[in-house]
Amino acid sequence: MKYFCYQIGIELKNQLTSLRKEFFRKTIHICTAFVPLFLHLAHVPALLCLCSAGLFYIVAEFLRFNGHEIPLISDITAAAARKRDENKFVLGPVTLVAGIVSAALLWEENAAAVGIFALAFGDGLASLAGKTFGKIRVPYTHGKTVEGSLTCFAAIFCSTFFVTNNCRISLLVAATGALIEVLPLKDFDNLLIPVLLGGIVTYCS
């Protein structure tokens, strides 16, 4: 009985740690919703800052991976890293920056904003919802949940409608975004979501 309680305690601790990491990681995700404002105010400087931050992270993560800790940056990376990222180069921030910069370069301001908002709110809130109250697992998706996918759809629909004021485009973008998010793409959904959804807005407008 004592051993059983100990095992339950270990499992609960691991779940809380995973949830804490997810909240921390997705808070960073959601903060990217400020990027369209910065791009609107100062497009080129904002892009340069994003690229510089991405390059700085790559150098810092490469050093961390080789045993050289960088104050603050390495701590943040360790605090946000998933279990699957242990002892690996954490790719998520790289694809996050690459997706945002690609959308900003490829599409006009509103279309890029739709893609970035979808990444910030759709992908960010889907994971939090799935981890917090997700119960119904979607087969062959490495643990994605129906609750997370519905949250993703709702978040992308609302943010897209806020930008476009077009229900038809918002439904199409939200459905596509929810489909991409539920696929087991690991960190590469950070790249696909803003680029593809921004493209949909561009060609449907």
Side-chain angles (χ1 to χ4, degrees):
M1 183 65 180
K2 186 176 180 180
Y3 177 76
F4 177 75
C5 291
Y6 174 77
Q7 289 295 106
I8 293 295
I10 292 295
E11 183 177 345
L12 182 60
K13 182 180 178 181
N14 289 338
Q15 289 177 350
L16 289 174
T17 299
S18 175
L19 187 59
R20 177 181 58 81
K21 283 179 175 286
E22 197 68 24
F23 269 96
F24 182 71
R25 181 169 50 253
K26 294 308 178 181
T27 297
I28 297 173
H29 237 70
I30 292 170
C31 285
T32 61
F34 290 104
V35 171
L37 174 61
F38 299 144
L39 289 170
H40 175 72
L41 295 175
H43 190 80
V44 174
L47 284 176
L48 289 175
C49 287
L50 285 168
C51 292
S52 298
L55 289 172
F56 179 73
Y57 170 80
I58 290 171
V59 172
E61 182 62 4
F62 179 78
L63 291 172
R64 185 193 70 85
F65 186 67
N66 286 280
H68 306 287
E69 296 290 324
I70 306 298
L72 185 61
I73 302 299
S74 296
D75 293 336
I76 291 174
T77 302
R82 294 182 176 95
K83 188 173 181 61
R84 73 181 188 212
D85 293 323
E86 290 179 359
N87 302 316
K88 295 180 182 178
F89 185 100
V90 180
L91 192 60
V94 179
T95 56
L96 184 70
V97 171
I100 292 171
V101 170
S102 297
L105 290 173
L106 286 170
W107 315 126
E108 56 84 26
E109 187 175 306
N110 281 353
V114 166
I116 295 168
F117 285 150
L119 181 61
F121 298 121
D123 189 37
L125 295 177
S127 184
L128 291 179
K131 287 280 187 180
T132 305
F133 53 81
K135 299 295 183 183
I136 307 171
R137 303 287 178 180
V138 180
Y140 311 112
T141 61
H142 297 179
K144 300 291 181 72
T145 65
V146 171
E147 293 86 348
S149 295
L150 292 175
T151 301
C152 179
F153 179 90
I156 295 177
F157 176 84
C158 291
S159 62
T160 303
F161 190 79
F162 173 78
V163 176
T164 65
N165 199 33
N166 186 306
C167 188
R168 180 180 62 85
I169 291 177
S170 299
L171 285 171
L172 178 59
V173 168
T176 306
L179 176 61
I180 295 172
E181 193 280 329
V182 81
L183 296 175
L185 299 173
K186 296 185 178 179
D187 293 313
F188 289 100
D189 57 353
N190 292 340
L191 184 58
L192 290 177
I193 286 174
V195 172
L196 291 182
L197 301 191
I200 288 173
V201 174
T202 298
Y203 293 110
C204 289
S205 297

